Amino acid sequence: MQFQSTMRSPGHLRHLPRALTLSESGRNLARNKCRHPVMSFPFYLHLGSVRLHPHLVFESLAYVVAFRVYVWLRKQMGDAIADANRWWVIAAAAVGAVLGSKLLYWFEDPRLTLANWNDPSFLMSGKTIVGALIGGLLAVEWTKRRIGVVQRTGDLFAIPLCIGIAIGRIGCFLTGLEDHTVGSATSLPWAVNFGDGVPRHPTQIYEIIFVLALAVLLWSVSRQPFPNGDLFKIFMVGYFSFRLAIDFLKPDVRVFLRLSSIQWACVAMLLYYSPDLHRWCRVAMAPASSAAASLSQSEETS
């Protein structure tokens, strides 16, 4: 397997958001680009005479590995629902993820979407993980009501999702600017020049590190008694919180109050899970409260 780097001409970048246009500060950073790694994107992978796009390779690999991890976890942890119902849930999650990822992508830059509403190549070109998670969740909850499933069904998906996202983001990083996941300009020593002459935050790498750490946390929680459904909720709260924060380092279009559409979607989901956040905080504070009460009672008796 060999790597081949190919520069994209300006015509191939016509759908990039205006936020990626070089600012004066970006030009100043470009003058100092010799201090940062210089790479050309996307990196194409070669298997013999076949040239493969990195996004296709790592996205496909993410699906395969995540599914294998899911199967292994199901054998290790068991499943609360019957096989037939589980496959309905998986199908609903897949369909909802496809629709949700596409819908939220169209809202990332509303003006650009309206300008290209009749361009099938643009409409089908992008997707977003945040939209996929939201769409999958809504589709699964609707399907569960239709088939009469009342148990929580997401815990087995939490760790595989972390691993799948981590692998997929490798493809996003190797794709470069055209993937729309690059960060904004920075002078940090680990900044990466994705081909436009501007050292940028490698936000894909940040995300890989975060979701792998989240997977370790989830694995630790799964080895202890926990309420059914909490594993998936921890994943969702953790990922949406991360995306809300990290997207400030991206040159996304800000639609309202300096937040992007994806960030507003994250805010909505964190509000959705706010009862669980409140419950976790209450449980976490309970031992401290009990200890304080015990200490106070001891002091009174002495």
Side-chain angles (χ1 to χ4, degrees), residues 68-135:
R68 294 308 304 170
V69 172
Y70 159 77
V71 172
W72 181 80
L73 286 174
R74 192 167 185 240
K75 291 180 180 179
Q76 296 294 315
M77 301 171 60
D79 200 342
I81 65 175
D83 288 349
N85 289 337
R86 173 58 70 182
W87 285 111
W88 275 113
V89 168
I90 292 175
V95 173
V98 170
L99 296 177
S101 67
K102 190 62 62 177
L103 184 62
L104 186 56
Y105 169 75
W106 291 338
F107 280 97
E108 280 192 63
D109 190 340
R111 291 183 179 179
L112 188 63
T113 299
L114 287 175
N116 294 275
W117 68 269
N118 57 347
D119 182 355
S121 64
F122 170 81
L123 296 177
M124 300 305 295
S125 63
K127 51 187 176 292
T128 169
I129 293 175
V130 170
L133 292 174
I134 297 173

Side-chain angles (χ1 to χ4, degrees), residues 10 16 29 71 96 100 108 111 116 125 143-144 165 178 180 200 206 221-222 233 252 265 292:
L16 289 177
L29 287 170
V71 172
E108 280 192 63
R111 291 183 179 179
N116 294 275
S125 63
T143 301
K144 284 168 58 178
I165 291 172
E178 70 178 44
H180 299 183
R200 296 179 179 275
Y206 300 164
V221 172
S222 72
K233 291 176 180 178
D252 295 335

Side-chain angles (χ1 to χ4, degrees), residues 14-15 37 48 59 102 113 116 138 175 208 244 252-253 278:
R14 64 184 182 278
H15 294 318
E59 186 174 351
K102 190 62 62 177
T113 299
N116 294 275
L138 295 176
T175 297
I208 291 170
L244 176 60
D252 295 335
V253 174
H278 178 69

Side-chain angles (χ1 to χ4, degrees), residues 104-271:
L104 186 56
Y105 169 75
W106 291 338
F107 280 97
E108 280 192 63
D109 190 340
R111 291 183 179 179
L112 188 63
T113 299
L114 287 175
N116 294 275
W117 68 269
N118 57 347
D119 182 355
S121 64
F122 170 81
L123 296 177
M124 300 305 295
S125 63
K127 51 187 176 292
T128 169
I129 293 175
V130 170
L133 292 174
I134 297 173
L137 174 67
L138 295 176
V140 166
E141 292 303 318
W142 180 83
T143 301
K144 284 168 58 178
R145 291 189 179 185
R146 297 284 295 178
I147 63 179
V149 173
V150 296
Q151 299 96 327
R152 299 291 183 182
T153 59
D155 287 341
L156 288 173
F157 295 134
I159 295 176
L161 280 169
C162 288
I163 296 173
I165 291 172
I167 296 173
R169 283 306 189 202
I170 298 174
C172 295
F173 176 80
L174 295 177
T175 297
L177 287 173
E178 70 178 44
D179 190 69
H180 299 183
T181 57
V182 299
S184 53
T186 181
S187 59
L188 291 171
W190 56 80
V192 177
N193 178 357
F194 286 94
D196 61 349
V198 179
R200 296 179 179 275
H201 284 285
T203 48
Q204 310 96 328
I205 304 300
Y206 300 164
E207 188 164 336
I208 291 170
I209 295 172
F210 173 80
V211 292
L212 290 179
L214 182 58
V216 173
L217 171 64
L218 294 172
W219 176 252
S220 176
V221 172
S222 72
R223 310 311 294 169
Q224 306 169 11
F226 63 92
N228 190 23
D230 270 15
L231 210 62
F232 182 73
K233 291 176 180 178
I234 293 172
F235 163 75
M236 294 289 268
V237 169
Y239 186 76
F240 288 131
S241 299
F242 171 80
R243 285 300 302 269
L244 176 60
I246 202 67
D247 279 25
F248 282 112
L249 299 181
K250 296 181 181 180
D252 295 335
V253 174
R254 310 297 168 180
V255 295
F256 184 63
L257 295 180
R258 297 188 178 182
L259 296 180
S260 66
S261 297
I262 288 179
Q263 287 177 302
W264 279 115
C266 291
V267 169
M269 294 307 298
L270 290 174
L271 289 174

